[in-house]
Structures are given as structure tokens and as C-alpha cells.
Amino acid sequence: MKPSRTGQALAYAAASVLAVLFLLPFYVIWRNAFSTQQAIVSPRWNWWPDQLDLTTLTAVLGNPRLGVWQALANSAVVSVVQTVLTVVISLMAGYALARWRTRASRVVLGLTVFTLMVPAMVTFVPTFVMVSTLGWISSYRGLIVPVLFSAFATFMFRQAFLDFPRELEESAALDGANTWTTFWRVVVPNTRGTIAAVGTIVFIGAWNAFLWPLLIAQDPAMRTIQVVLSQFMTSQGVRYPEMFTGALIAVAPSLVVFAFLQRWLVQGVERSGLK
């Protein structure tokens, strides 16, 4: 039964309102990035920026004391490596939990889901102590290794593999493929939608991470872009144009990744059963 025109109109209207609300923060970032400090703190709201040029952008990128380029490079390395390793680890863990249905696997699954209910801040202190003991402070190992495992990604892959047709795996087994070969040559290529979805979520989370890099990156040369943005908030006040310009620079990679992978993101969430 096709929806009525009134229903379609209401659906489009609701979607349009939600889209405007979603895009409003990005508009505010763009508007303030190209405005002066006086225009931003003015009690009178102006919809159009009063400094529509590259003055602030050039000042932020060209300031060696801020180290924006180095911070962007650090964020890129951390986000890409963390995303790749997290996806690989969660792929194998999710497949194991979906295929080997034993009492031990149920216990591991329960513990994995339980970790989703534990706030990340609770584990920061013991994790920091371990990282400090290993001598990983201000290093890529300290930024990446402690946050590699993702219970959410493992659970999503496990849900996707539950619906994966076993006939394909059985056919590969009849052709002489072992479990390892079947997994990498049959299962993984046919789970690209879920992989893209999980990879997008993990990348955006890694790129936007703040508290953990703030604790570990004590050397200014190892700071990520989110930590660098906090330098614009000082005891003397907030430098709004520079801060919003940095936010505009920082949000661009996440938007590009999301724009390219949004179709697979929706498909992966649907296939995983998290509707």
C-alpha cells in the first residue's frame, strides 16, 4: 500500500526540519570561523560573517606555536591505524562469537556487551598507569594500543555474521578451504557494507577523541587536532575566530569520510540488525 500524498508531504517536512537542525551547528562553525571576535560576541546576531576571507585560516595554519599541521598528521596516523586494527580485531572476534556457539563464547559475549555499560572515564586511570609503566607516554603506541578493542564493533560484526549464509562457507569447505581461508576469502569480501559502517564509526570516534590524547600526548609534538583546539580557551578568555577556524579544519576529514561511506554506513547498520 502506497503512502498518501499527505503522508509523504509530512515525512518530507519532518526530514527537512531534522536536516536543518543537523546542519545548524556546521553553519555556526562556518559563520564564526569567518567572523571577527567583535562580531561573534556582539549581542546582535548577524547571519552572514563579517570577515569572509582567509585571514584567520592563514593565521591558524601558519602559526608554528600551535602546530596545527603536525596535529592533523598525528590525528590522521592515529585515526587510520586505529580504524584498520580495530576493524581487523573486531572482525575476527565477531566471527568467532557468531560461529562457535559454546558456553565459553556466551560468557565472552556477555562480558563484551557488559563493557558497553562501563563509562570510558572509569578505565582511564588504570589504563594510564599501565601505559605509563610501559613507557608509552607521548607515543603512537600509547595513543592507539589501549583503545584498539571495540565492544560495539565486535557486537555489530557478530550480529552481521549471524545472518551470513552458511552455504557459502560450506561450499568453500567442500573445495578444500580451511576456516582461515574461508573467513578472509569468502566471508570478509561479502561483509564490506558492515566493514565500511564500522570503519566509519571508529574513524570518526578516533578523530574526535579528546580525553585520552589529552592524557597521553604530553609532548606538544604528539598532540592531536582536538587537543590543539583546546589551546584557544585560556584563562584570559576564548579566542573564538581561531577556535572555530580550527574546528572547521578538524571537522572536514570526518565529513569527507562520512560523505563517501554514508551509503555503506546505513546498509551495514541494517544488516547488523541494529535497526
Side-chain angles (χ1 to χ4, degrees):
M1 182 177 178
K2 293 183 179 181
S4 63
R5 291 187 176 181
T6 303
Q8 287 183 338
L10 291 175
Y12 282 122
S16 300
V17 172
L18 292 175
V20 171
L21 292 176
F22 176 78
L23 293 174
L24 186 59
F26 296 97
Y27 159 74
V28 174
I29 292 175
W30 172 81
R31 180 256 183 191
N32 290 346
F34 293 98
S35 299
T36 60
Q37 181 83 5
Q38 293 75 16
I40 295 175
V41 300
S42 174
R44 181 180 178 181
W45 178 265
N46 295 315
W47 291 97
W48 195 255
D50 64 335
Q51 187 175 279
L52 199 57
D53 54 37
L54 301 180
T55 302
T56 308
L57 181 63
T58 305
V60 170
L61 292 177
N63 190 342
R65 292 182 299 176
L66 295 176
V68 174
W69 288 110
Q70 182 64 42
L72 288 172
N74 292 336
S75 292
V77 171
V78 171
S79 300
V80 172
V81 174
Q82 181 179 335
T83 300
V84 172
L85 294 180
T86 298
V87 167
V88 172
I89 294 172
S90 301
L91 262 173
M92 294 187 290
Y95 183 75
L97 292 174
R99 287 295 177 264
W100 289 283
R101 311 294 293 276
T102 63
R103 181 177 298 179
S105 68
R106 288 193 292 270
V107 172
V108 173
L109 176 62
L111 293 175
T112 302
V113 175
F114 173 75
T115 61
L116 293 173
M117 297 182 286
V118 179
M121 285 70 72
V122 175
T123 62
F124 273 11
V125 173
T127 306
F128 178 81
V129 172
M130 289 190 296
V131 170
S132 178
T133 303
L134 292 171
W136 290 358
I137 300 296
S138 296
S139 68
Y140 286 125
R141 291 173 296 177
L143 289 170
I144 297 172
V145 174
V147 292
L148 278 182
F149 179 74
S150 171
F152 174 76
T154 301
F155 184 74
M156 281 195 68
F157 281 127
R158 187 250 183 190
Q159 294 300 109
F161 289 139
L162 287 178
D163 296 330
F164 189 86
R166 289 178 177 265
E167 292 78 8
L168 295 177
E169 299 174 60
E170 293 171 356
S171 299
L174 291 175
D175 290 336
N178 56 29
T179 303
W180 186 258
T181 304
T182 301
F183 175 69
W184 286 110
R185 296 195 175 185
V186 177
V187 178
V188 172
N190 288 281
T191 323
R192 286 176 294 183
T194 307
I195 293 174
V198 173
T200 303
I201 296 172
V202 173
F203 179 86
I204 293 176
W207 184 270
N208 294 328
F210 174 72
L211 289 178
W212 183 248
L214 181 65
L215 288 174
I216 298 301
Q218 298 180 7
D219 185 353
M222 291 300 302
R223 290 173 180 170
T224 60
I225 187 62
Q226 307 301 334
V227 178
V228 168
L229 290 180
S230 65
Q231 298 181 57
F232 298 116
M233 303 176 65
T234 64
S235 58
Q236 288 75 30
V238 181
R239 294 149 58 188
Y240 288 108
E242 291 86 352
M243 184 178 68
F244 280 102
T245 300
L248 185 65
I249 297 171
V251 79
S254 298
L255 290 178
V256 172
V257 171
F258 181 79
F260 277 103
L261 299 180
Q262 59 177 331
R263 178 165 62 92
W264 291 279
L265 177 62
V266 175
Q267 291 177 359
V269 173
E270 289 179 347
R271 292 175 182 175
S272 65
L274 301 178
K275 298 181 181 179

